[in-house]
Amino acid sequence: MGFTLYKEDPYLRENSRPLLRAPSFDPTTTPGPMLLRLLPCLLFGVSNTLAIIAPKVFIFTMFDLEANAWFGIPEFNVLEQNITVPGFSPLYPDAHCTSDGVVCLLTTGQAEINAAATISALVYSRTFNLTSTYFLVAGIAGINPKVTTIGSVTFARYAVQVALQYEIDAREIPAQFPTGYFPQGSTAPGQMPGSWDGTEHRAFLKGASAPSIVLCDTATSDVYWSGNLLGEAFENTTTIFTNGSATYCTTQQEDSATLGVLMRATMFHLVDFSRIIIMRSASDFDRPYPGQNGVANLLGDAPGINPSLLNLHLAGVKVIQGIVNEWDNKYAHGVQADNYIGDVFGSLGGEPDFGPGSIFKGSRITSWLYL
Ligand SMILES: *[C@@H]1O[C@H](CO)[C@@H](O)[C@H](O)[C@H]1NC(C)=O
Ligand SMILES: *[C@@H]1O[C@H](CO)[C@@H](O)[C@H](O)[C@H]1NC(C)=O
Ligand SMILES: *[C@@H]1O[C@H](CO)[C@@H](O)[C@H](O)[C@H]1NC(C)=O
Ligand SMILES: *[C@@H]1O[C@H](CO)[C@@H](O)[C@H](O)[C@H]1NC(C)=O
């Protein structure tokens, strides 16, 4: 697929301003009045008569600027239907869909708890049939300058929950430790974890349906870090947790949570774990340039924000059009991943190419939820 990504320039910054809207807070759609609105239905036994929407693509954004990148675009209008979903964020209570239901979008709210809660609410809502849906996580991210630069669009193969570790404050780090972070169940940085929680990382679809701009991997943490040492520490964590398979390049606060929920929903055949695309565009560096310090990197100018938001739409719309236009002859049936997909426990079957190996002896836990 051929298209050109935006780079930062003053013209673009000027012209991208209308995309940046303040979060709107509409009191009539916040979850507050939900109970009152449901009450008459409960009293009179009126069932939910909304047709079940079966989107071909569901776009996951994490905050308002990422969502706004998809509003007012020429290709499709996801504001033709607003569907309030119980369990969504108070700031973003609605899923948004085109009138034909082919493309939908939601906003999780930022960081791991919001992502897990919102995506759980979606997959168990019964408002949507998501069994054939492709999920496009479309967000901005910090970037490792060793891999690429701001404005780039990346597609991840692994999402690593890097901060799920022990931590010693910087002022109390033993002299022989290069960082205060070390894996759970280990005794020092650089060791394999002695115990796993299952959400540390996932491997999934290997760029099969995505334009290959940069294929590199993503690190999840609620903590927004900046600096050479933390950058290098989490680079090391990514290497250790994935047995050297993943390339640490983007940093964000949600993707392992989103994937953890989609993995569990896949066990009940509510979604398909091989239909997930993690697209993260680079808005800022995870560490300073030579001569700058970590705080200045974090709090200084962010010239990458606007191009990264514009590029989410530019690259993402190609992915969406590719899926929708070739639906019948290709994507409806799904893409067979040639790599392991799933969690460190092997819950979806197969042998993980990272961690200590499947705890289910390579077979899949089969569970059916009868709807
Ligand atoms: C959906 O909500 C947006 C605001 O979030 C609004 O602009 C749009 O008109 C709404 N669509 C419908 C069909 O009500
Ligand atoms: C969901 O969609 C699939 C096809 O994509 C269909 O086979 C299935 O019956 C649908 N499930 C429900 C509950 O409508
Ligand atoms: C990263 O790993 C390398 C190789 O093991 C080590 O030399 C370095 O000190 C580590 N860096 C940090 C910040 O942990
Ligand atoms: C990953 O590395 C650890 C430690 O070296 C090893 O025990 C484990 O078998 C490796 N896993 C895979 C899938 O190669």
Side-chain angles (χ1 to χ4, degrees), residues 11-20 306-307 310:
Y11 172 83
L12 277 175
R13 288 186 85 169
E14 210 46 52
N15 281 276
S16 64
R17 288 234 170 89
L19 280 174
L20 311 178
N306 288 336
L310 290 169

Side-chain angles (χ1 to χ4, degrees), residues 21 24 26 29 71 77-83 94-97:
R21 289 179 216 141
S24 60
D26 178 357
T29 56
F71 299 154
N77 179 11
V78 291
L79 295 179
E80 284 164 353
Q81 292 192 68
N82 299 326
I83 302 124
D94 291 347
H96 303 284
C97 297

Side-chain angles (χ1 to χ4, degrees), residues 178-179 229 232-233 236:
T179 176
L229 288 173
E232 192 183 296
N236 286 353

